Amino acid sequence: MIAADHLKRIAAWARDLNEKEIEVARAGIVEKSFKANEFVCMRGDQFEYWTGVVSGLAKIGTISRSGKEVSITGLTAGAWFGEGSVLKNEPRRYDIVPLRDSKLAFMERPAFMWLFENSVGFNRFLVSLLNERLGQFIALTEYGRRLDSTGRLARCIASLFNPILYRDAARHLDITQEELGAISGISRQRANQCLQTLEKEGLLRLEYGGVTVVDLERLGSYGD
């Protein structure tokens, strides 16, 4: 069983729970380490865990029947996801793949459902999370059709600083250009070109092994 203080570090939502609720959450969570490109679950799997990123970077995506890879979103430390599939108790509609060596936390469905049925604080968090997630994917559909690669990359980076999805996010992101390309669905070379453009426009600063966001508001509305 993970410690209560550790739970609060890896899961911002746990800070809104009372002692009994924290004990249920602790008892229902295990952590596992994965190597880069090792599948956590695949589309069609009955994967009955609500999942959090403790450390590292993961990608949600799919592969079409023709073999085309589609990136949906990236997940950095602090992200919790998969609540829709757990609530509906249905197979996953996407693949989860770490882009680097990562540690993930898994909450079993009985613990998740107990919190859902008994915890006001947990439900408040879920409502905010689902609402933010819906807005995120509506925006993803829109700018995926309307914006060029620079705009898509800008919005993708901005989404990793969402204050609801990442309550403890700082303005620096430890991520490589190759990883940014992978989660935004563009090549590393094109990601490099787009990042150079965004830096020249004063929206972010390129640093060794990552980027620092300078103007999050403009980054999140890039192309409008």
Side-chain angles (χ1 to χ4, degrees):
M1 184 186 296
I2 64 174
D5 59 344
H6 178 64
L7 174 63
K8 292 178 181 180
R9 283 197 300 271
I10 68 171
W13 50 264
R15 300 165 197 168
D16 300 326
L17 306 185
N18 62 37
E19 290 186 9
K20 180 178 180 179
E21 293 162 356
I22 287 174
E23 291 305 303
V24 171
R26 289 176 58 207
I29 292 176
V30 296
E31 294 183 352
K32 295 182 181 180
S33 296
F34 293 85
K35 296 294 185 182
N37 301 315
E38 178 183 358
F39 278 89
V40 177
C41 76
M42 300 180 69
R43 182 177 182 179
D45 286 351
Q46 191 72 36
F47 187 70
E48 299 181 347
Y49 297 94
W50 192 43
T51 310
V53 180
V54 178
S55 63
L57 175 69
K59 181 182 74 170
I60 289 178
T62 62
I63 299 177
S64 69
R65 292 182 180 179
S66 63
K68 181 180 179 180
E69 187 173 350
V70 178
S71 296
I72 299 174
T73 190
L75 302 157
T76 58
W80 284 79
F81 60 97
E83 58 282 343
S85 296
V86 175
L87 283 168
K88 292 181 285 185
N89 197 23
E90 67 177 14
R92 293 302 165 109
R93 299 182 180 183
Y94 47 78
D95 305 325
I96 305 172
V97 184
L99 296 177
R100 65 174 80 144
D101 291 355
S102 302
K103 180 178 286 186
L104 303 183
F106 300 98
M107 177 184 282
E108 61 184 8
R109 188 171 188 271
F112 179 93
M113 294 305 299
W114 188 94
L115 290 170
F116 174 66
E117 292 166 358
N118 294 278
S119 172
V120 173
F122 188 71
N123 273 278
R124 285 174 178 164
F125 172 80
L126 278 184
V127 169
S128 296
L129 181 66
L130 289 166
N131 184 56
E132 204 66 29
R133 192 94 72 200
L134 177 61
Q136 181 186 43
F137 286 114
I138 288 174
L140 180 65
T141 301
E142 177 198 358
Y143 69 66
R145 297 174 179 177
R146 182 172 59 84
L147 299 180
D148 61 13
S149 54
T150 302
R152 294 198 304 273
L153 181 61
R155 301 295 185 95
C156 179
I157 295 173
S159 72
L160 300 177
F161 294 89
N162 184 297
I164 304 299
L165 302 179
Y166 301 97
R167 200 184 292 186
D168 297 329
R171 287 299 176 98
H172 178 78
L173 185 65
D174 291 320
I175 194 168
T176 67
Q177 294 181 9
E178 183 176 2
E179 290 168 341
L180 281 171
I183 63 176
S184 57
I186 60 178
S187 68
R188 180 193 177 281
Q189 293 76 14
R190 185 58 186 148
N192 176 266
Q193 295 169 359
C194 296
L195 288 167
Q196 296 288 343
T197 298
L198 295 171
E199 183 175 46
K200 289 176 182 177
E201 295 185 22
L203 277 69
L204 53 77
R205 184 170 60 250
L206 298 178
E207 298 170 348
Y208 182 77
V211 298
T212 294
V213 172
V214 176
D215 193 329
L216 183 58
E217 184 176 353
R218 287 176 59 205
L219 197 68
S221 61
Y222 193 90
D224 286 345

